[in-house]
């Protein structure tokens, strides 16, 4: 799968999770996804970055808590599942409360399905908070 296919597939999938508001950044191919809830504030769940520097899906696993280590633990989980090391692929600083999945590691249909299952699990955790 090429990176544009992965981006498109993930966009469709994220919108299928439930009522979702998404925003498009003005000067880049970056989409932010916020589940629509009837009670409480809307927090970002995921971001698809189509820019060269990032080219990845970012899951915001503990939005607003910069000191959370949940992102690091979840990052290790997805790296084991998809067999990659984010430190070897990307040089930018990682936030402790986010999970980064580069598009280029999603190179088979099996991996996209594994990723969808993983995202679905994270989404269920996210909406229960």
């Amino acid at each position: 799968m090429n990176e544009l296919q992965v981006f498109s597939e993930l966009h469709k999938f994220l919108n299928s999770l439930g009522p979702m508001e998404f925003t498009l950044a003005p000067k880049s191919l970056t989409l932010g996804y916020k589940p629509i809830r009837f009670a409480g504030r809307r927090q970002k769940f995921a971001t698809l970055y189509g820019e060269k520097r990032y080219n990845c899906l970012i899951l915001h696993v503990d939005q607003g808590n910069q000191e959370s280590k949940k992102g690091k633990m979840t990052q290790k989980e997805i790296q084991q599942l998809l067999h990659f090391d984010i430190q070897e692929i990307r040089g930018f600083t990682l936030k402790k409360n986010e999970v980064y999945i580069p598009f280029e590691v999603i190179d088979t249909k099996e991996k996209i399905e594994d990723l969808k299952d993983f995202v679905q699990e994270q989404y269920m955790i996210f909406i229960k908070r």
Side-chain angles (χ1 to χ4, degrees):
M1 298 184 84
N2 72 37
E3 293 173 13
L4 189 56
Q5 287 174 310
V6 172
F7 186 97
S8 174
E9 186 76 23
L10 289 174
H11 174 66
K12 285 187 255 181
F13 176 72
L14 288 168
N15 280 305
S16 75
L17 290 172
M20 194 76 65
E21 172 186 308
F22 71 93
T23 55
L24 177 61
K27 294 185 177 186
S28 69
L29 187 55
T30 301
L31 297 169
Y33 299 83
K34 293 180 183 178
I36 297 172
R37 299 182 191 180
F38 296 104
R41 56 182 219 243
R42 294 181 184 173
Q43 290 184 313
K44 194 183 295 184
F45 167 67
T47 304
L48 279 177
Y49 277 96
E51 297 178 17
K52 284 250 186 238
R53 181 171 179 233
Y54 287 90
N55 251 352
C56 64
L57 168 66
I58 298 177
L59 299 176
H60 307 279
V61 294
D62 202 357
Q63 183 74 9
N65 185 357
Q66 300 296 328
E67 298 306 312
S68 173
K69 302 220 183 225
K70 186 176 181 190
K72 286 191 176 260
M73 292 184 308
T74 310
Q75 182 73 47
K76 287 179 184 176
E77 210 178 306
I78 192 64
Q79 287 180 179
Q80 288 176 342
L81 179 67
L82 300 177
H83 310 290
F84 75 96
D85 183 349
I86 191 66
Q87 298 294 343
E88 292 176 7
I89 298 172
R90 296 291 189 273
F92 54 77
T93 304
L94 306 177
K95 293 182 182 177
K96 296 178 194 173
N97 61 343
E98 294 180 345
V99 176
Y100 301 81
I101 304 114
F103 296 151
E104 67 265 25
V105 302
I106 313 302
D107 54 3
T108 65
K109 289 189 183 212
E110 291 79 20
K111 283 188 176 181
I112 193 88
E113 292 307 316
D114 289 344
L115 177 57
K116 286 179 182 179
D117 291 342
F118 180 83
V119 171
Q120 177 99 33
E121 288 174 28
Q122 295 304 312
Y123 181 75
M124 298 308 291
I125 293 167
F126 184 87
I127 61 172
K128 288 179 182 175
R129 288 190 290 147

